[in-house]
Amino acid sequence: MAVQEIVNRAEEIEADIIAWRRDFHAHPELGFQEFRTARIVAETLTELGLEVVTGVGKTGVMAVIGEGTPVIGIRADMDALPIMEANEVEYVSQSPGVMHACGHDSHTAMLLGVARILATMPDRPPGQIRLFFQPCEETTDAEGKSGAQRMVEEGALDGVDHVIALHVASDLPAGKIIANAGPLTAAVDDFNATIIGKGCHGAHPDEGIDPIYLAAQVLNALHGIRARRINPIHPAVVTIGTIHGGAARNVIPDEVTISGTLRSYDPRIREQLRDEVERALGVARALGGDYNVEFIIGCPSVLNDAHVAEVMRAVATEVIGAENIIDHEPSMGGEDFSYMTNRAPGAMFLLGAKRDSVDRPHHNPLFDLDESVFKIGTSILTETTCRLLKEKA
Ligand SMILES: [Zn+2]
Ligand SMILES: [Zn+2]
């Protein structure tokens, strides 16, 4: 099928893609609780005559089109967020306090559209296409594992040559895309630390070890990591998000707790950041106190494979024109698609979907999308898959 035919097919099924998205939007489900969404996805894929596996990575769904090799994977995420929707739209969330405020409803709907085009394509290139409808991108389960991580651990990516995905961007002009090679999102590690002193009367600080004073020195050292310890050409973030300690004006407490997040692209910098946090906390020991720290290791950085990103850009040039492909600065946000790109060279593109002049950021009660871009996302995913199959064959 020529690119134009794929674009025409996406236009033909646009109303269905929008209807699926609105249905998912009205019935959002939190991570690893995507039971209804997974059921509808599985039913829709089964109706297309596809082989469908449910319960992959807890609530994920996987479908296979074609057989043999090469194997190209396409991923969408299905989870919503614990946010109370503030939009007044006919498809508003029917679950108070839960909202598709990151656009994963649209990712799921577009991948269903891709499935329909590929499943019914008369001259589909030989090879296997694996569709991954993953649970829980936004958070992790009790064991600290996210949806993509669970699917990868269960072998869903075994044998996959390339994996691709898209993410809508509510702040990017509708119809523009970003598909750069290299880092797209950061590695995310969090930490919880306790600075331990010795409580005493506020009038006699010399009789204890003041953990609030220790914390003040530690904070300085933590904030100095980026400036004084990390190679300046490498991006890194150290953010302290919480600090708690003390209960009365005239009492020196026993301890102060702090927590924060560490962001980086390079795996060596990622490791160094954790070492440097330990070193900074060590200031508490130098001054007579103590500390303990626990690191919560999150997802790696999404590194777009140069070749796959190039294929995506070539396809996008034909679908929307070179003038609509824009360059970007990578984000220090996180995205668990990285567990998949760590297994198979792949890439994610960002699809601009700004709806109107209202500010509708991701993870915000006013988040919403321009639905007219869904056909673009569907076309680019479909044609990129076909090209990757052809060149690997
Ligand atoms: Zn999100
Ligand atoms: Zn997201």
Side-chain angles (χ1 to χ4, degrees), residues 102 104 137-138 363:
C102 201
H104 300 181
E137 189 282 325
E138 297 283 4
H363 296 209

Side-chain angles (χ1 to χ4, degrees), residues 75 77 79 102-104 107 137-138 167-168 334-335 362-363:
R75 171 272 205 176
D77 39 11
D79 58 323
C102 201
H104 300 181
H107 302 167
E137 189 282 325
E138 297 283 4
H167 203 302
V168 288
E335 165 59 70
H362 288 249
H363 296 209

Side-chain angles (χ1 to χ4, degrees), residues 6-91:
I6 287 174
V7 172
N8 294 345
R9 276 293 282 145
E11 270 166 19
E12 278 165 34
I13 63 170
E14 179 181 22
D16 286 331
I17 298 171
I18 292 173
W20 284 322
R21 183 261 169 162
R22 292 185 174 200
D23 177 60
F24 296 137
H25 192 88
H27 302 98
E29 296 170 298
L30 294 174
F32 292 124
Q33 296 170 40
E34 307 91 337
F35 304 111
R36 179 187 182 277
T37 310
R39 179 172 53 76
I40 290 169
V41 165
E43 283 169 8
T44 309
L45 296 168
T46 305
E47 276 165 27
L48 289 171
L50 303 181
E51 182 194 321
V52 178
V53 192
T54 56
V56 188
K58 298 191 176 177
T59 42
V61 179
M62 195 174 100
V64 179
I65 304 174
E67 57 189 6
T69 54
V71 184
I72 305 300
I74 321 173
R75 171 272 205 176
D77 39 11
M78 303 190 290
D79 58 323
L81 287 154
I83 292 173
M84 178 70 89
E85 179 155 16
N87 291 312
E88 289 174 12
V89 288
E90 60 182 87
Y91 48 91

Side-chain angles (χ1 to χ4, degrees), residues 88-108:
E88 289 174 12
V89 288
E90 60 182 87
Y91 48 91
V92 70
S93 168
Q94 301 298 304
S95 306
V98 185
M99 177 187 176
H100 269 293
C102 201
H104 300 181
D105 49 351
S106 73
H107 302 167
T108 303

Side-chain angles (χ1 to χ4, degrees), residues 29-270:
E29 296 170 298
L30 294 174
F32 292 124
Q33 296 170 40
E34 307 91 337
F35 304 111
R36 179 187 182 277
T37 310
R39 179 172 53 76
I40 290 169
V41 165
E43 283 169 8
T44 309
L45 296 168
T46 305
E47 276 165 27
L48 289 171
L50 303 181
E51 182 194 321
V52 178
V53 192
T54 56
V56 188
K58 298 191 176 177
T59 42
V61 179
M62 195 174 100
V64 179
I65 304 174
E67 57 189 6
T69 54
V71 184
I72 305 300
I74 321 173
R75 171 272 205 176
D77 39 11
M78 303 190 290
D79 58 323
L81 287 154
I83 292 173
M84 178 70 89
E85 179 155 16
N87 291 312
E88 289 174 12
V89 288
E90 60 182 87
Y91 48 91
V92 70
S93 168
Q94 301 298 304
S95 306
V98 185
M99 177 187 176
H100 269 293
C102 201
H104 300 181
D105 49 351
S106 73
H107 302 167
T108 303
M110 282 186 262
L111 189 51
L112 286 176
V114 171
R116 188 184 283 182
I117 298 173
L118 287 170
T120 57
M121 186 181 282
D123 56 348
R124 191 180 60 239
Q128 189 187 132
I129 299 150
R130 262 186 236 170
L131 308 172
F132 303 118
F133 292 86
Q134 78 152 73
C136 198
E137 189 282 325
E138 297 283 4
T139 179
T140 56
D141 59 19
E143 284 157 30
K145 294 185 174 175
S146 73
Q149 199 175 3
R150 288 269 171 210
M151 287 184 91
V152 167
E153 282 183 7
E154 288 184 19
L157 271 283
D158 292 359
V160 171
D161 293 287
H162 289 304
V163 60
I164 59 170
L166 65 75
H167 203 302
V168 288
S170 64
D171 51 354
L172 200 69
K176 306 265 182 201
I177 78 144
I178 287 170
N180 289 64
L184 182 73
T185 61
V188 179
D189 297 324
D190 292 339
F191 68 92
N192 295 316
T194 306
I195 293 164
I196 302 159
K198 183 166 167 271
C200 61
H201 196 296
H204 301 284
D206 52 304
E207 290 173 7
I209 294 169
D210 183 352
I212 292 177
Y213 166 68
L214 300 183
Q217 318 310 315
V218 167
L219 284 183
N220 248 340
L222 287 168
H223 287 133
I225 292 174
R226 163 68 272 185
R228 303 288 85 182
R229 299 293 310 159
I230 301 293
N231 181 338
I233 64 164
H234 286 288
V237 175
V238 177
T239 286
I240 311 305
T242 71
I243 173 161
H244 295 288
R249 279 194 292 269
N250 59 352
V251 178
I252 289 172
D254 279 323
E255 55 186 45
V256 169
T257 59
I258 59 178
S259 70
T261 191
L262 311 173
R263 307 289 169 108
S264 56
Y265 294 137
D266 187 300
R268 289 163 304 172
I269 300 294
R270 184 182 192 186

